[in-house]
Amino acid sequence: MHNSPCDAASIVIAPSILAADPCDLGSAVASLEGSSAKRLHVDIMDGRFVPNITFGFDTVRRLHALTALPLELHLMIVEPERHLERFAACGAAGLTVHAEASPHLHRTLQTIRELGCAAGAAVNPGTPVTALFEVTELLDCALVMTVNPGFGGQQFIHSMLRKIERLRQHFTDCSRTTDIEVDGGITAATAADAVAAGATTLVAGTSVFHHPDGAAAGVRELEACITSSVKKHS
Ligand code: DX5
Ligand code: ZN
């Protein structure tokens, strides 16, 4: 199928803070301590590119002060290029823009790299994954949306697995091991399929922050699913 580094230990879980209590982000971040989460995913929504509105610069700055986890900002905003410098100054380690919102995607990714951040580009479920092919060499992270962006707690769109496979094959053909991130509806029931298709980072909101035994248990459960599935297939 694909030649991704399909070793369970190399899969990154990035909890999405969108699913936490917005009035108590400090406790949410603290609840990840001691877990193997490697990055914190922060969904920035502007009420224009998507119907919802979430966090601004000050929240990103506070989160950066509260956690040692690198912050990856998923920018679901129009004209993302206008705000890159400020988000970088607030402590972003990675900035991901949407291909649909960024007509000059090549230039925008160059700018992100010049700011010293990891450069990411995302595609909505209705956007062909080939939108990312022309910027392959500038991508640190390719984000495949497995729900329509805007809200947490939606159902994983299974037909997106083919898109992940196609993207992984493309990177393999280009001799690249670019991170493929999957965002939306990642649960114990879908995580292994996403990894088998070639994903290397799983964003998870609801299944981590709404886990009955706490966020660290949510991360552990996803990891366990991935480990058992990788073992089964190796
Ligand atoms: C959706 C966001 C996601 C969201 C995922 O637009 O980009 O990051 O937090 O939430 P879950 O894991 O609940 O689908
Ligand atoms: Zn997201």
Side-chain angles (χ1 to χ4, degrees), residues 84-140:
L84 299 173
E85 201 173 334
R86 252 181 108 184
F87 278 124
C90 290
L95 292 168
T96 294
V97 297
H98 267 261
E100 303 86 356
S102 196
H104 304 291
L105 184 59
H106 191 278
R107 184 194 292 151
T108 301
L109 293 170
Q110 277 177 328
T111 306
I112 295 173
R113 285 187 159 194
E114 282 161 17
L115 289 167
C117 296
V123 280
N124 284 337
T127 302
V129 74
T130 48
L132 303 181
F133 286 13
E134 303 301 334
V135 292
T136 297
E137 74 280 6
L138 289 172
L139 283 178
D140 296 303

Side-chain angles (χ1 to χ4, degrees), residues 149-169:
F151 303 96
Q154 302 181 76
Q155 293 291 311
F156 186 86
I157 303 172
H158 286 270
S159 55
M160 293 300 117
L161 289 171
R162 176 77 194 100
K163 209 169 179 180
I164 301 166
E165 286 172 6
R166 204 165 159 213
L167 188 56
R168 178 54 68 202
Q169 189 59 57

Side-chain angles (χ1 to χ4, degrees), residues 16 41-43 74 76 143 145 183 203:
S16 170
H41 184 89
V42 186
D43 290 303
H74 177 190
M76 285 161 275
L143 196 170
M145 288 305 301
D183 186 6
V203 175

